[in-house]
Amino acid sequence: MTNERRVLVATDGDALAASIAARFLTKTVDLLDELESVNVVLEGGRVAIKVLENINASPARDSVDWSRVHFWWGDERWVPANDPERNDGKARRALLDHIEIPGENVHSYPASDSGLSLDDAARQYAEALAQYGTGESGLPRFDITFLGVGPDGHTASLFPDRQEVLEREATVVAVRNSPKPPAERLSLTRHVINSSQRIWVELSGADKASVLGLALAGAAYSEVPIAGMKGRKRTVFFVDQEAASEVPENLITPTY
């Protein structure tokens, strides 16, 4: 695993989302030239959904062979399937309902009205990961993993100073009494996220400046979970100027 991290700064949130979308389309086409299929892990934050909307609106959208792309989620809220706050529902409305992708390529977490308990839902998603697992890790080859970040440094549903961020064995955890509503959630664990080839972190706004600085300074991941996320090939922080306000110039890659 490499520690290489890049910080790429856009002028504002809209430019940020548009730039990430364009980069994603280009990278996915390149990866599909090399691989039989591509696995992408999505998140449900505000910037993430703007990125998906930009992908959908792009003239290059259909240059991707979506039948060879699999979508997973870093975490999900434990709410009914039709709840508008579910991450998979947001992604479907923004992009997935508009592209030609087989239903079996969209790997959503179970919903709270699925008839499963929260723990059973975590086990079911872990089994889905194992079903598509390859190599020594027994996990899908995650080619691009999108992560959002809260002002407290949490990412996916791994919150500071909680057991879930320290989990080393399970691939999926049930989260209870979350400090951010809803109280119950499902999340990939840190070692699963860090099995990703590329981690793309999306941050926008002045309230993310401090946590970005802590992450780049090497804060303990138990206290600042995003600080412990590193892709095997590359970790890129895509940020706007407000979020980058506390990042030293020498850590910023020239404007993209």
Side-chain angles (χ1 to χ4, degrees), residues 151-255:
D152 61 353
H154 87 267
T155 190
S157 285
L158 304 177
F159 292 91
D161 302 315
R162 290 176 56 98
Q163 183 58 40
E164 294 92 1
V165 76
L166 302 176
E167 175 62 48
R168 296 176 182 272
E169 300 297 329
T171 56
V172 181
V173 287
V175 178
R176 293 179 171 85
N177 300 314
S178 161
K180 179 180 179 181
E184 294 183 322
R185 297 159 171 258
L186 296 157
S187 183
L188 299 184
T189 53
R190 176 176 171 264
H191 72 90
V192 174
I193 292 171
N194 283 349
S195 74
S196 307
Q197 299 297 302
R198 300 160 192 83
I199 290 178
W200 290 8
V201 186
E202 304 160 315
L203 297 97
S204 175
D207 62 335
K208 306 296 176 65
S210 177
V211 73
L212 175 59
L214 289 170
L216 295 173
Y221 68 82
S222 60
E223 299 174 2
V224 184
I226 191 60
M229 305 303 165
K230 300 182 179 73
R232 290 186 175 274
K233 287 189 174 180
R234 180 163 292 174
T235 306
V236 183
F237 290 80
F238 295 93
V239 306
D240 63 10
Q241 288 184 342
E242 288 187 336
S245 62
E246 297 184 21
V247 177
E249 286 291 332
N250 65 308
L251 295 182
I252 296 176
T253 304
T255 303

Side-chain angles (χ1 to χ4, degrees), residues 96-193:
L96 303 185
D97 286 347
H98 308 284
I99 57 177
E100 294 187 10
I101 185 169
E104 60 267 25
N105 287 20
V106 180
H107 305 276
S108 298
Y109 283 93
S112 65
D113 56 354
S114 62
L116 297 173
S117 70
L118 183 63
D119 291 322
D120 285 341
R123 282 190 284 271
Q124 186 177 100
Y125 208 68
E127 290 169 1
L129 292 171
Q131 179 184 349
Y132 286 86
T134 59
E136 294 181 4
S137 70
L139 295 165
R141 174 195 166 101
F142 293 131
D143 298 288
I144 299 174
T145 291
F146 288 100
L147 293 177
V149 186
D152 61 353
H154 87 267
T155 190
S157 285
L158 304 177
F159 292 91
D161 302 315
R162 290 176 56 98
Q163 183 58 40
E164 294 92 1
V165 76
L166 302 176
E167 175 62 48
R168 296 176 182 272
E169 300 297 329
T171 56
V172 181
V173 287
V175 178
R176 293 179 171 85
N177 300 314
S178 161
K180 179 180 179 181
E184 294 183 322
R185 297 159 171 258
L186 296 157
S187 183
L188 299 184
T189 53
R190 176 176 171 264
H191 72 90
V192 174
I193 292 171

